[in-house]
Each structure stands twice: as C-alpha cells, then as structure tokens.
Coordinates of all heavy atoms in Angstrom, one line a residue:
M1292 N -52.0 -42.8 -70.4 CA -53.1 -43.6 -70.0 C -52.7 -45.2 -70.0 O -53.1 -45.9 -69.0 CB -54.3 -43.4 -71.0 CG -55.4 -44.4 -70.9 SD -55.2 -46.0 -71.7 CE -55.4 -45.6 -73.4
E1293 N -51.9 -45.6 -71.0 CA -51.5 -47.0 -71.0 C -50.6 -47.3 -69.8 O -50.8 -48.4 -69.2 CB -50.7 -47.3 -72.3 CG -51.7 -47.2 -73.5 CD -50.9 -47.3 -74.9 OE1 -49.7 -47.3 -74.8 OE2 -51.6 -47.5 -75.8
V1294 N -49.8 -46.4 -69.5 CA -48.9 -46.7 -68.2 C -49.8 -46.8 -67.0 O -49.7 -47.7 -66.1 CB -47.9 -45.6 -68.0 CG1 -47.1 -45.7 -66.6 CG2 -46.9 -45.5 -69.2
A1295 N -50.8 -46.0 -66.9 CA -51.8 -46.1 -65.7 C -52.5 -47.3 -65.6 O -52.6 -48.0 -64.6 CB -52.7 -44.8 -65.7
V1296 N -53.0 -47.7 -66.8 CA -53.8 -49.0 -66.9 C -53.0 -50.2 -66.6 O -53.3 -51.0 -65.8 CB -54.5 -49.1 -68.2 CG1 -55.1 -50.5 -68.4 CG2 -55.6 -47.9 -68.5
D1297 N -51.8 -50.2 -67.2 CA -50.8 -51.3 -67.0 C -50.4 -51.4 -65.5 O -50.1 -52.5 -65.0 CB -49.5 -51.2 -67.8 CG -49.8 -51.4 -69.3 OD1 -51.0 -51.9 -69.6 OD2 -49.0 -51.1 -70.1
N1298 N -50.5 -50.3 -64.7 CA -50.2 -50.3 -63.3 C -51.3 -50.2 -62.4 O -51.2 -49.9 -61.2 CB -49.2 -49.2 -63.1 CG -47.8 -49.6 -63.8 OD1 -47.0 -50.3 -63.2 ND2 -47.6 -48.9 -64.9
N1299 N -52.6 -50.4 -62.9 CA -53.7 -50.4 -62.1 C -53.9 -49.2 -61.3 O -54.3 -49.3 -60.1 CB -53.9 -51.7 -61.2 CG -53.9 -53.0 -62.0 OD1 -54.6 -53.1 -63.0 ND2 -53.0 -54.0 -61.7
I1300 N -53.7 -48.1 -61.9 CA -53.9 -46.8 -61.1 C -55.4 -46.5 -60.9 O -56.1 -46.4 -62.0 CB -53.2 -45.6 -61.9 CG1 -51.7 -45.9 -62.1 CG2 -53.3 -44.3 -61.1 CD1 -50.9 -46.1 -60.8
P1301 N -55.8 -46.3 -59.8 CA -57.2 -46.1 -59.5 C -57.7 -44.7 -60.2 O -57.0 -43.8 -60.1 CB -57.4 -46.0 -58.0 CG -56.2 -46.6 -57.4 CD -55.1 -46.4 -58.4
G1302 N -58.8 -44.7 -60.7 CA -59.4 -43.4 -61.4 C -59.1 -43.4 -62.9 O -59.6 -42.5 -63.5
I1303 N -58.3 -44.3 -63.4 CA -58.0 -44.3 -64.9 C -58.6 -45.6 -65.4 O -58.1 -46.7 -65.4 CB -56.5 -44.3 -65.2 CG1 -55.9 -43.0 -64.5 CG2 -56.3 -44.4 -66.6 CD1 -56.3 -41.7 -65.1
D1304 N -59.8 -45.4 -65.9 CA -60.6 -46.6 -66.4 C -60.3 -46.7 -67.9 O -60.4 -47.9 -68.4 CB -62.1 -46.5 -66.1 CG -62.4 -46.5 -64.6 OD1 -61.6 -47.1 -63.8 OD2 -63.3 -45.9 -64.3
A1305 N -60.1 -45.7 -68.7 CA -59.9 -45.7 -70.1 C -60.8 -46.5 -70.9 O -60.5 -47.4 -71.6 CB -58.4 -46.2 -70.4
D1306 N -62.1 -46.3 -70.6 CA -63.1 -47.1 -71.2 C -63.1 -47.2 -72.7 O -63.5 -48.1 -73.4 CB -64.6 -46.5 -70.8 CG -64.9 -46.8 -69.4 OD1 -64.1 -47.6 -68.8 OD2 -65.8 -46.1 -68.8
C1307 N -62.6 -46.0 -73.4 CA -62.7 -46.2 -74.9 C -61.1 -46.5 -75.4 O -60.9 -46.4 -76.7 CB -63.0 -44.7 -75.4 SG -61.8 -43.5 -75.3
E1308 N -60.4 -46.9 -74.5 CA -59.0 -47.4 -74.8 C -58.3 -46.4 -75.6 O -57.5 -46.8 -76.5 CB -59.2 -48.7 -75.5 CG -59.9 -49.8 -74.8 CD -60.1 -51.1 -75.5 OE1 -59.8 -51.2 -76.7 OE2 -60.5 -52.1 -74.8
G1309 N -58.3 -45.1 -75.3 CA -57.5 -44.1 -76.0 C -58.0 -43.5 -77.1 O -57.4 -42.7 -77.9
G1310 N -59.4 -43.7 -77.4 CA -60.0 -43.1 -78.6 C -60.5 -41.6 -78.4 O -61.1 -41.1 -79.2
C1311 N -60.2 -41.0 -77.3 CA -60.5 -39.6 -76.9 C -62.1 -39.4 -77.1 O -62.6 -38.6 -77.7 CB -59.9 -38.6 -77.8 SG -59.9 -36.9 -77.2
A1312 N -62.8 -40.5 -76.4 CA -64.3 -40.4 -76.5 C -64.9 -40.7 -75.2 O -66.2 -40.7 -75.1 CB -64.7 -41.5 -77.5
C1313 N -64.2 -40.9 -74.1 CA -64.9 -41.2 -72.9 C -64.5 -40.3 -71.6 O -65.3 -40.2 -70.7 CB -64.6 -42.7 -72.5 SG -62.9 -42.9 -72.0
A1314 N -63.4 -39.8 -71.6 CA -62.8 -38.9 -70.6 C -62.7 -39.7 -69.2 O -62.6 -39.0 -68.2 CB -63.7 -37.7 -70.3
T1315 N -62.7 -41.0 -69.2 CA -62.4 -41.7 -68.0 C -60.9 -41.9 -67.7 O -60.5 -42.8 -66.9 CB -63.0 -43.1 -68.1 OG1 -62.5 -43.9 -69.1 CG2 -64.6 -43.0 -68.1
C1316 N -60.1 -41.1 -68.4 CA -58.7 -41.1 -68.2 C -58.2 -39.7 -67.8 O -57.0 -39.4 -68.0 CB -58.0 -41.5 -69.5 SG -58.2 -40.5 -70.8
H1317 N -59.1 -38.9 -67.1 CA -58.9 -37.6 -66.8 C -57.8 -37.5 -65.7 O -57.7 -38.2 -64.7 CB -60.1 -37.0 -66.2 CG -60.1 -35.6 -65.7 ND1 -61.0 -35.1 -64.9 CD2 -59.3 -34.6 -66.0 CE1 -60.8 -33.9 -64.6 NE2 -59.7 -33.6 -65.3
I1318 N -56.8 -36.6 -66.0 CA -55.7 -36.3 -65.0 C -55.5 -34.8 -65.0 O -55.9 -34.1 -65.8 CB -54.4 -37.0 -65.6 CG1 -54.0 -36.5 -66.9 CG2 -54.5 -38.5 -65.5 CD1 -52.5 -36.9 -67.4
I1319 N -54.7 -34.5 -63.9 CA -54.3 -33.1 -63.8 C -52.8 -33.0 -63.9 O -52.1 -33.6 -63.1 CB -54.8 -32.5 -62.4 CG1 -56.3 -32.8 -62.1 CG2 -54.4 -31.0 -62.3 CD1 -57.2 -32.2 -63.1
I1320 N -52.3 -32.1 -64.8 CA -51.0 -32.0 -65.1 C -50.5 -30.8 -64.1 O -51.1 -29.8 -64.0 CB -50.8 -31.5 -66.6 CG1 -51.2 -32.6 -67.5 CG2 -49.3 -31.2 -66.8 CD1 -50.5 -33.9 -67.5
P1321 N -49.3 -31.0 -63.4 CA -48.7 -30.0 -62.6 C -48.4 -28.7 -63.5 O -47.9 -28.9 -64.6 CB -47.6 -30.6 -61.9 CG -47.2 -31.7 -62.7 CD -48.5 -32.2 -63.5
E1322 N -48.6 -27.6 -62.8 CA -48.3 -26.3 -63.6 C -46.9 -26.3 -64.3 O -46.8 -25.8 -65.4 CB -48.4 -25.1 -62.7 CG -48.4 -23.8 -63.4 CD -49.6 -23.6 -64.4 OE1 -50.7 -24.0 -64.0 OE2 -49.3 -22.9 -65.4
N1323 N -46.0 -26.8 -63.6 CA -44.6 -26.8 -64.1 C -44.3 -27.7 -65.4 O -43.4 -27.6 -66.0 CB -43.5 -27.0 -63.0 CG -43.7 -28.3 -62.4 OD1 -44.8 -28.9 -62.3 ND2 -42.6 -28.9 -61.9
F1324 N -45.3 -28.5 -65.7 CA -45.2 -29.4 -66.9 C -46.3 -29.0 -67.9 O -46.4 -29.7 -68.9 CB -45.3 -30.9 -66.4 CG -44.1 -31.5 -65.9 CD1 -43.7 -31.4 -64.6 CD2 -43.1 -32.0 -66.8 CE1 -42.6 -32.0 -64.1 CE2 -41.9 -32.5 -66.3 CZ -41.7 -32.6 -65.0
A1325 N -47.1 -28.0 -67.7 CA -48.2 -27.8 -68.5 C -47.8 -27.5 -69.8 O -48.4 -27.8 -70.9 CB -49.1 -26.7 -67.9
A1326 N -46.7 -26.8 -70.1 CA -46.2 -26.4 -71.4 C -45.4 -27.4 -72.1 O -45.0 -27.4 -73.3 CB -45.4 -25.1 -71.3
T1327 N -45.0 -28.5 -71.3 CA -44.2 -29.7 -71.8 C -44.9 -30.7 -72.4 O -44.5 -31.4 -73.3 CB -43.3 -30.2 -70.6 OG1 -42.7 -29.1 -70.0 CG2 -42.2 -31.1 -71.1
V1328 N -46.2 -31.0 -71.9 CA -46.9 -32.2 -72.4 C -47.5 -31.9 -73.8 O -47.4 -30.8 -74.3 CB -48.1 -32.5 -71.5 CG1 -47.6 -32.9 -70.1 CG2 -49.1 -31.4 -71.4
T1329 N -47.9 -32.9 -74.5 CA -48.5 -32.9 -75.8 C -49.6 -31.8 -75.8 O -50.4 -31.7 -74.9 CB -49.2 -34.2 -76.1 OG1 -48.3 -35.3 -75.9 CG2 -49.7 -34.2 -77.6
P1330 N -49.6 -30.9 -76.8 CA -50.5 -29.8 -76.8 C -52.0 -30.2 -76.9 O -52.3 -31.4 -77.4 CB -50.3 -29.0 -78.1 CG -48.8 -29.3 -78.4 CD -48.6 -30.7 -77.9
L1331 N -52.9 -29.5 -76.3 CA -54.3 -29.8 -76.2 C -55.0 -29.6 -77.6 O -54.7 -28.5 -78.1 CB -54.9 -28.9 -75.2 CG -56.5 -29.1 -74.9 CD1 -56.7 -30.4 -74.3 CD2 -57.0 -27.9 -74.0
E1332 N -55.6 -30.6 -78.1 CA -56.2 -30.5 -79.4 C -57.8 -30.2 -79.1 O -58.3 -30.4 -78.1 CB -56.1 -31.9 -80.3 CG -54.7 -32.2 -80.5 CD -54.2 -31.3 -81.6 OE1 -54.9 -30.7 -82.3 OE2 -52.8 -31.2 -81.7
E1333 N -58.4 -29.7 -80.2 CA -59.8 -29.4 -80.1 C -60.8 -30.5 -79.6 O -61.7 -30.2 -78.8 CB -60.3 -28.8 -81.5 CG -61.7 -28.2 -81.4 CD -62.1 -27.6 -82.7 OE1 -61.2 -27.3 -83.5 OE2 -63.3 -27.4 -83.0
D1334 N -60.6 -31.7 -80.1 CA -61.4 -32.8 -79.7 C -61.3 -33.2 -78.2 O -62.3 -33.4 -77.5 CB -61.3 -34.0 -80.5 CG -59.9 -34.6 -80.6 OD1 -59.0 -33.8 -80.2 OD2 -59.8 -35.7 -81.0
E1335 N -60.1 -33.0 -77.7 CA -59.9 -33.2 -76.3 C -60.5 -32.1 -75.4 O -61.1 -32.4 -74.4 CB -58.3 -33.4 -75.9 CG -58.0 -33.6 -74.5 CD -56.5 -33.6 -74.3 OE1 -55.7 -33.5 -75.2 OE2 -56.2 -33.8 -73.1
H1336 N -60.2 -30.9 -75.9 CA -60.8 -29.7 -75.2 C -62.3 -29.9 -75.2 O -62.9 -29.7 -74.0 CB -60.4 -28.5 -76.0 CG -61.0 -27.2 -75.4 ND1 -60.7 -26.7 -74.2 CD2 -61.9 -26.4 -75.9 CE1 -61.4 -25.5 -74.0 NE2 -62.2 -25.4 -75.0
Y1337 N -62.9 -30.3 -76.2 CA -64.4 -30.5 -76.3 C -64.9 -31.5 -75.2 O -65.9 -31.3 -74.5 CB -64.9 -30.8 -77.6 CG -66.3 -31.1 -77.8 CD1 -67.2 -30.0 -78.0 CD2 -66.8 -32.3 -78.0 CE1 -68.5 -30.2 -78.2 CE2 -68.1 -32.6 -78.2 CZ -69.0 -31.4 -78.3 OH -70.3 -31.7 -78.4
L1338 N -64.2 -32.6 -75.2 CA -64.6 -33.8 -74.3 C -64.4 -33.3 -72.8 O -65.2 -33.5 -72.0 CB -63.8 -34.9 -74.6 CG -64.1 -36.3 -74.0 CD1 -65.7 -36.6 -74.1 CD2 -63.3 -37.4 -74.4
L1339 N -63.3 -32.6 -72.6 CA -63.0 -32.1 -71.1 C -64.1 -31.2 -70.7 O -64.4 -31.2 -69.5 CB -61.6 -31.4 -71.1 CG -60.4 -32.3 -71.2 CD1 -59.2 -31.5 -71.5 CD2 -60.3 -33.1 -69.8
D1340 N -64.7 -30.4 -71.6 CA -65.8 -29.5 -71.2 C -67.1 -30.2 -70.7 O -67.8 -29.6 -69.9 CB -66.2 -28.7 -72.4 CG -65.4 -27.4 -72.4 OD1 -64.8 -27.1 -71.4 OD2 -65.6 -26.7 -73.5
F1341 N -67.1 -31.5 -70.8 CA -68.3 -32.3 -70.4 C -68.0 -32.7 -68.8 O -69.0 -33.1 -68.1 CB -68.6 -33.6 -71.2 CG -69.2 -33.3 -72.5 CD1 -68.6 -33.2 -73.6 CD2 -70.6 -33.1 -72.4 CE1 -69.2 -32.9 -74.8 CE2 -71.3 -32.8 -73.7 CZ -70.6 -32.7 -74.8
L1342 N -66.9 -32.6 -68.4 CA -66.6 -33.0 -67.0 C -67.0 -31.9 -66.0 O -66.8 -30.7 -66.3 CB -65.0 -33.3 -66.9 CG -64.4 -34.3 -67.7 CD1 -62.9 -34.3 -67.5 CD2 -65.0 -35.7 -67.3
N1343 N -67.5 -32.3 -64.8 CA -67.9 -31.3 -63.9 C -66.8 -31.0 -62.9 O -67.0 -30.1 -62.1 CB -69.1 -31.7 -63.1 CG -68.9 -33.1 -62.4 OD1 -67.8 -33.6 -62.3 ND2 -69.9 -33.6 -61.8
N1344 N -65.6 -31.6 -63.1 CA -64.5 -31.4 -62.3 C -63.2 -31.0 -63.1 O -62.1 -31.2 -62.6 CB -64.1 -32.6 -61.4 CG -63.9 -33.8 -62.2 OD1 -64.0 -33.9 -63.4 ND2 -63.3 -34.8 -61.5
R1345 N -63.5 -30.4 -64.3 CA -62.3 -29.9 -65.2 C -61.7 -28.8 -64.4 O -62.3 -27.9 -63.8 CB -62.9 -29.4 -66.5 CG -61.7 -28.9 -67.4 CD -62.2 -28.6 -68.8 NE -61.1 -28.3 -69.6 CZ -61.0 -27.9 -70.8 NH1 -62.2 -27.9 -71.4 NH2 -60.0 -27.6 -71.5
Q1346 N -60.3 -28.9 -64.5 CA -59.5 -27.8 -63.9 C -58.6 -27.2 -64.9 O -58.6 -27.6 -66.1 CB -58.7 -28.4 -62.7 CG -59.5 -29.1 -61.6 CD -58.6 -29.7 -60.5 OE1 -57.6 -29.3 -60.2 NE2 -59.3 -30.7 -59.9
K1347 N -57.9 -26.3 -64.5 CA -57.1 -25.4 -65.5 C -56.1 -26.4 -66.2 O -56.0 -26.2 -67.5 CB -56.3 -24.4 -64.7 CG -55.3 -23.6 -65.7 CD -54.6 -22.6 -64.8 CE -53.4 -21.9 -65.7 NZ -52.4 -21.3 -64.8
N1348 N -55.5 -27.4 -65.6 CA -54.5 -28.2 -66.3 C -55.0 -29.6 -66.5 O -54.3 -30.5 -66.5 CB -53.2 -28.2 -65.5 CG -52.5 -26.9 -65.5 OD1 -52.7 -26.1 -66.5 ND2 -51.7 -26.6 -64.5
S1349 N -56.4 -29.7 -66.6 CA -57.0 -31.0 -66.9 C -56.6 -31.5 -68.2 O -56.5 -30.7 -69.2 CB -58.5 -31.0 -66.8 OG -59.0 -30.9 -65.5
R1350 N -56.3 -32.7 -68.4 CA -56.0 -33.4 -69.7 C -56.5 -34.8 -69.6 O -56.9 -35.4 -68.6 CB -54.5 -33.5 -69.8 CG -53.8 -32.1 -70.0 CD -54.3 -31.3 -71.2 NE -54.1 -32.1 -72.4 CZ -53.0 -32.1 -73.3 NH1 -52.1 -31.2 -72.9 NH2 -52.9 -32.8 -74.4
L1351 N -56.6 -35.4 -70.8 CA -57.0 -36.7 -71.0 C -55.6 -37.5 -71.2 O -54.9 -37.3 -72.1 CB -57.9 -37.0 -72.2 CG -59.3 -36.3 -72.1 CD1 -60.1 -36.4 -73.3 CD2 -60.0 -36.7 -70.9
S1352 N -55.4 -38.4 -70.3 CA -54.0 -39.0 -70.3 C -53.9 -39.8 -71.5 O -52.6 -40.0 -71.9 CB -53.9 -39.9 -69.1 OG -54.8 -40.9 -68.9
C1353 N -54.8 -40.2 -72.3 CA -54.6 -41.0 -73.5 C -54.1 -40.1 -74.7 O -53.7 -40.6 -75.6 CB -55.9 -41.7 -73.9 SG -57.2 -40.6 -74.4
Q1354 N -54.1 -38.8 -74.4 CA -53.7 -37.9 -75.4 C -52.2 -37.4 -75.1 O -51.7 -36.5 -75.9 CB -54.7 -36.7 -75.6 CG -56.1 -37.2 -75.9 CD -56.1 -38.0 -77.2 OE1 -55.7 -37.5 -78.2 NE2 -56.5 -39.2 -77.1
I1355 N -51.6 -37.9 -74.0 CA -50.4 -37.4 -73.6 C -49.3 -38.4 -73.9 O -49.4 -39.5 -73.6 CB -50.4 -37.2 -72.1 CG1 -51.4 -36.3 -71.6 CG2 -48.9 -36.8 -71.6 CD1 -51.3 -34.8 -72.0
E1356 N -48.4 -38.0 -74.8 CA -47.3 -38.8 -75.2 C -46.2 -38.8 -74.1 O -45.8 -37.7 -73.7 CB -46.7 -38.3 -76.5 CG -45.5 -39.2 -77.0 CD -44.9 -38.7 -78.2 OE1 -45.4 -37.7 -78.8 OE2 -43.9 -39.3 -78.7
V1357 N -45.7 -39.9 -73.7 CA -44.7 -40.0 -72.6 C -43.4 -39.9 -73.2 O -43.1 -40.6 -74.2 CB -44.9 -41.4 -71.8 CG1 -43.7 -41.4 -70.8 CG2 -46.2 -41.5 -71.1
T1358 N -42.7 -38.8 -72.9 CA -41.3 -38.6 -73.4 C -40.4 -38.4 -72.2 O -40.8 -38.2 -71.0 CB -41.3 -37.3 -74.3 OG1 -41.6 -36.2 -73.4 CG2 -42.4 -37.4 -75.4
D1359 N -39.1 -38.3 -72.5 CA -38.1 -38.1 -71.5 C -38.3 -36.7 -70.8 O -38.0 -36.5 -69.7 CB -36.7 -38.1 -72.1 CG -36.3 -39.5 -72.4 OD1 -36.9 -40.5 -72.0 OD2 -35.3 -39.7 -73.2
A1360 N -38.9 -35.8 -71.5 CA -39.2 -34.4 -71.0 C -40.1 -34.5 -69.8 O -40.2 -33.5 -69.1 CB -39.7 -33.5 -72.1
L1361 N -40.9 -35.6 -69.7 CA -41.8 -35.6 -68.5 C -41.2 -36.4 -67.4 O -41.9 -36.6 -66.4 CB -43.1 -36.4 -69.0 CG -43.9 -35.7 -70.1 CD1 -45.2 -36.6 -70.5 CD2 -44.3 -34.3 -69.8
D1362 N -39.9 -36.7 -67.4 CA -39.3 -37.3 -66.3 C -39.5 -36.5 -65.0 O -39.1 -35.3 -64.9 CB -37.7 -37.5 -66.6 CG -37.0 -38.3 -65.5 OD1 -37.7 -39.2 -64.9 OD2 -35.9 -38.0 -65.3
G1363 N -40.0 -37.1 -64.0 CA -40.2 -36.5 -62.7 C -41.6 -35.8 -62.5 O -42.0 -35.4 -61.5
I1364 N -42.4 -35.9 -63.4 CA -43.9 -35.4 -63.4 C -44.6 -36.1 -62.3 O -44.5 -37.4 -62.2 CB -44.6 -35.4 -64.8 CG1 -45.8 -34.6 -64.8 CG2 -44.9 -36.8 -65.2 CD1 -46.4 -34.3 -66.1
I1365 N -45.4 -35.4 -61.6 CA -46.4 -36.0 -60.7 C -47.8 -35.6 -61.0 O -48.1 -34.4 -61.0 CB -46.1 -35.5 -59.2 CG1 -44.6 -36.0 -58.7 CG2 -47.1 -36.1 -58.3 CD1 -44.2 -35.4 -57.5
I1366 N -48.5 -36.6 -61.4 CA -49.9 -36.3 -61.9 C -50.9 -36.6 -60.9 O -50.8 -37.7 -60.2 CB -50.1 -37.2 -63.3 CG1 -49.1 -36.8 -64.3 CG2 -51.5 -37.3 -63.6 CD1 -49.0 -37.7 -65.5
K1367 N -52.0 -35.8 -60.9 CA -53.1 -36.0 -60.0 C -54.2 -36.8 -60.9 O -54.4 -36.4 -62.0 CB -53.6 -34.8 -59.3 CG -52.8 -34.1 -58.5 CD -53.4 -32.9 -57.8 CE -52.4 -32.1 -56.9 NZ -52.9 -30.9 -56.4
V1368 N -54.9 -37.6 -60.1 CA -56.0 -38.4 -60.8 C -57.3 -37.9 -60.1 O -57.6 -38.3 -58.9 CB -55.9 -39.8 -60.7 CG1 -57.1 -40.6 -61.4 CG2 -54.6 -40.3 -61.4
P1369 N -58.2 -37.1 -60.6 CA -59.4 -36.7 -59.9 C -60.5 -37.6 -59.9 O -61.4 -37.6 -59.0 CB -59.7 -35.4 -60.8 CG -59.3 -35.7 -62.2 CD -58.1 -36.6 -62.0
N1370 N -60.6 -38.7 -60.8 CA -61.7 -39.6 -60.8 C -61.4 -40.9 -60.0 O -61.3 -41.9 -60.5 CB -61.9 -40.1 -62.3 CG -62.2 -38.9 -63.2 OD1 -62.9 -37.9 -62.7 ND2 -62.0 -39.1 -64.4
Q1371 N -61.3 -40.7 -58.7 CA -61.1 -41.8 -57.8 C -62.4 -42.2 -57.0 O -62.2 -42.2 -55.7 CB -59.9 -41.5 -56.9 CG -58.7 -41.3 -57.7 CD -57.4 -41.2 -56.8 OE1 -57.3 -41.8 -55.7 NE2 -56.5 -40.3 -57.2
D1372 N -63.4 -42.3 -57.6 CA -64.6 -42.7 -56.8 C -65.0 -44.0 -57.2 O -64.6 -44.7 -58.0 CB -65.8 -41.6 -57.1 CG -66.0 -41.4 -58.6 OD1 -65.2 -41.9 -59.5 OD2 -66.9 -40.6 -58.8
Ligands
LIG594 S1 -59.3 -43.4 -72.7 FE1 -61.1 -42.5 -73.3 S2 -60.8 -40.5 -73.5 FE2 -59.0 -41.3 -72.8

C-alpha cells in the first residue's frame, strides 16, 4: 500500500493509512503469488467480505509485506473509479 501511495497508483486511496479498516487499498494478487504473500488474517478477511467486487485472490495491500519473494509480481487494482 505504501509503495502504491508513494507512486500515486490510481485506485489505492488507503484512507485508514494501513489500519485494516477501510478496504480502499484493495488489490488482486496473481494466482502464482497467492501462496507467497503475507497470509490472510481474520480481520482482513472480514473487511474484504464487505466489498462487492471481492475476488478469489483479493487482498488489502496494506496487509502485504513487500519482500524479495514478490519480485516480478503484477498486481491488479480493482478500485479504479
Ligand atoms: S489502507 Fe485501509 S484497509 Fe488498507
């Protein structure tokens, strides 16, 4: 989320600044990285359920730790309205 905000990526508003309370940092993780990213916690899962466009690999980008293992990942941003 911080990387997206710092680079003005459209669709990542991060209204709660990473507090896992707004879901305005919604992203879609590609299938080949789904098992590599930070595991989904219960509070994130609960918040994602409020989205009408939740997908199988939906995540809140503020809950994803950027590591070398994510090198090459291509993330989709569904909230581009
Ligand atoms: S920035 Fe609010 S939930 Fe991620």
Side-chain angles (χ1 to χ4, degrees):
M1292 175 277 288
E1293 292 173 350
V1294 174
V1296 169
D1297 288 348
N1298 289 281
N1299 298 313
I1300 302 298
I1303 303 293
D1304 296 333
D1306 290 342
C1307 77
E1308 301 177 352
C1311 199
C1313 70
T1315 61
C1316 64
H1317 181 200
I1318 59 171
I1319 309 298
I1320 300 293
E1322 187 66 36
N1323 58 330
F1324 279 91
T1327 307
V1328 296
T1329 310
L1331 181 67
E1332 298 287 339
E1333 186 175 336
D1334 55 345
E1335 182 184 0
H1336 176 70
Y1337 179 77
L1338 190 55
L1339 284 167
D1340 267 350
F1341 282 99
L1342 298 173
N1343 60 8
N1344 58 350
R1345 182 175 185 176
Q1346 298 178 29
K1347 178 183 173 193
N1348 292 332
S1349 283
R1350 295 296 306 269
L1351 299 177
S1352 58
C1353 67
Q1354 303 303 301
I1355 305 293
E1356 181 181 358
V1357 177
T1358 66
D1359 289 344
L1361 299 183
D1362 187 30
I1364 193 171
I1365 297 174
I1366 293 171
K1367 292 183 182 176
V1368 179
N1370 297 334
Q1371 296 187 38
D1372 47 0

